[in-house]
Amino acid sequence: MTARAKLYIGAVIGCGLVVLGLGMYRWTPDKPIRLAVYVLMTLIASGMKVRLPGVTGTMSVHFLFLLIGIVNRTLPEVLLAGTGATLVQCFWRARRRPAIFQVAFNVGATALAVGATDFVYHLPILQTEGLGAIRLGVSAIIFFFGNTAPIAIVIGLTEGRSPASIWKECYFWCFPYYLVGASLASAFGFLSNAFGESTTLMGLPVVYIVFRSYGMYLEKLETEKDHAKKMASLHLRTIEALALAIDAKDHTTHDHLERVQVYAMELGRELGVTGEDLEALQAAALLHDIGKLAVPEHIISKPG
């Protein structure tokens, strides 16, 4: 792990602990039964998790209850629920036991996301009548970035990849769900005020529906990615077959294509070429002598 990654992880953990400490300081739980029900539902939702494409990580749907809590609960209650949900997500049905610093980082990142969203939601400038939709939308955006950007950054720093590309590939697709979550938080707040706290229990079926749609979308995404990889592999094998035909045409340049491909790919990586551009460079290196196919045999094989 690089020094920058360690510094970043330490900063997130430290800032998250500060937010937790300030939020929980001198907090006296009010209505413990209501709090227990809210925390329990958040923990259940955190167990509904899906694996993210492209990285060794998961995402659960407990963010919906955290958004509901930011709208309808106090900050200490949401921090408590968020911390518990993060721990459940880290350890429940995990393929491998996470390291202590990974758990601490996830808890810190969740605390920062909750704290920042709660701060924005309760800004005086957004309390004006008629700004309810804008207030919810801005809060959902803040929570989305606060909940996803730190993870993408730490993955990029530890794996030597672009955090922006990781965030776009693995997290950007779930942005609409956060907007839906903000709308649900507003609806549950209205129902809670009108019919009592028990209406919050209605959130579990909704969360399960969101979880199922999560899974179905990711399954479709994974299938499309596998198909694209297979097609790309097929295209590359076709190009390699054509390249072998080119190589066989000229008997004086044995292994020339392989050497050009190696040099071109390594130079491309040194210059920072990645993704589709690097794949195109690989194909171009194989086909750079394609013109030889049009040269008559008695010319291209002429001695000297």
Side-chain angles (χ1 to χ4, degrees):
M1 186 183 299
T2 64
R4 285 198 305 169
K6 292 179 180 178
L7 182 63
Y8 175 74
I9 291 172
V12 171
I13 293 174
C15 293
L17 289 176
V18 169
V19 172
L20 278 172
L22 293 175
M24 307 295 287
Y25 181 64
R26 291 185 177 179
W27 173 54
T28 302
D30 183 27
K31 298 181 180 179
I33 296 179
R34 185 190 72 169
L35 173 62
V37 171
Y38 169 65
V39 172
L40 179 61
M41 289 192 296
T42 308
L43 296 181
I44 293 173
S46 67
M48 302 178 189
K49 58 184 182 179
V50 293
R51 302 203 174 275
L52 295 171
V55 294
T56 55
T58 61
M59 176 172 282
S60 72
V61 292
H62 70 267
F63 73 88
L64 288 172
F65 278 106
L66 296 185
L67 277 171
I68 291 172
I70 289 170
V71 174
N72 304 298
R73 299 282 190 269
T74 63
L75 176 60
E77 290 176 324
V78 184
L79 287 173
L80 178 64
T83 301
T86 302
L87 293 176
V88 170
Q89 186 178 350
C90 287
F91 292 102
W92 175 254
R93 292 183 177 178
R95 287 187 176 180
R96 58 182 181 180
R97 191 177 184 87
I100 295 298
F101 78 90
Q102 292 174 320
V103 177
F105 176 85
N106 288 328
V107 170
T110 300
L112 285 175
V114 169
T117 307
D118 184 81
F119 175 78
V120 170
Y121 184 78
H122 293 97
L123 279 175
I125 194 173
L126 294 177
Q127 306 304 312
T128 307
E129 187 176 353
L131 294 181
I134 295 176
R135 182 185 178 194
L136 280 170
V138 172
S139 299
I141 292 171
I142 296 296
F143 193 57
F144 169 66
F145 280 103
N147 214 22
T148 58
I151 310 297
I153 291 173
V154 76
I155 292 174
L157 291 175
T158 53
E159 297 184 3
R161 297 164 59 187
S162 168
S165 63
I166 293 172
W167 180 82
K168 183 179 179 181
E169 177 184 355
C170 301
Y171 294 102
F172 185 72
W173 60 269
C174 63
F175 176 60
Y177 289 97
Y178 280 76
L179 296 179
V180 171
S183 302
L184 290 175
S186 177
F188 282 122
F190 173 78
L191 292 173
S192 178
N193 292 329
F195 303 104
E197 292 290 335
S198 60
T199 55
T200 309
L201 293 171
M202 296 168 56
L204 278 177
V206 176
V207 167
Y208 183 74
I209 292 172
V210 173
F211 166 67
R212 291 301 302 164
S213 66
Y214 249 32
M216 291 174 62
Y217 178 81
L218 283 180
E219 286 176 9
K220 180 181 177 182
L221 190 65
E222 204 64 37
T223 301
E224 291 177 353
K225 285 184 67 177
D226 288 343
H227 178 70
K229 285 181 180 178
K230 289 177 181 177
M231 291 303 297
S233 178
L234 177 61
H235 292 159
L236 183 60
R237 288 198 297 270
T238 303
I239 292 172
E240 287 173 346
L242 184 57
L244 289 174
I246 298 169
D247 203 21
K249 181 84 171 180
D250 186 358
H251 305 291
T252 63
T253 56
H254 183 64
D255 292 335
H256 168 68
L257 283 172
E258 287 80 358
R259 291 195 300 272
V260 170
Q261 183 183 10
V262 170
Y263 293 147
M265 296 292 285
E266 292 303 317
L267 284 170
R269 292 189 181 98
E270 286 293 322
L271 292 171
V273 180
T274 59
E276 294 180 356
D277 291 334
L278 194 63
E279 294 174 4
L281 183 61
Q282 182 181 16
L286 289 171
L287 295 175
H288 78 280
D289 272 342
I290 194 170
K292 287 182 179 180
L293 290 175
V295 180
E297 186 74 24
H298 67 278
I299 294 178
I300 199 168
S301 299
K302 182 181 178 182

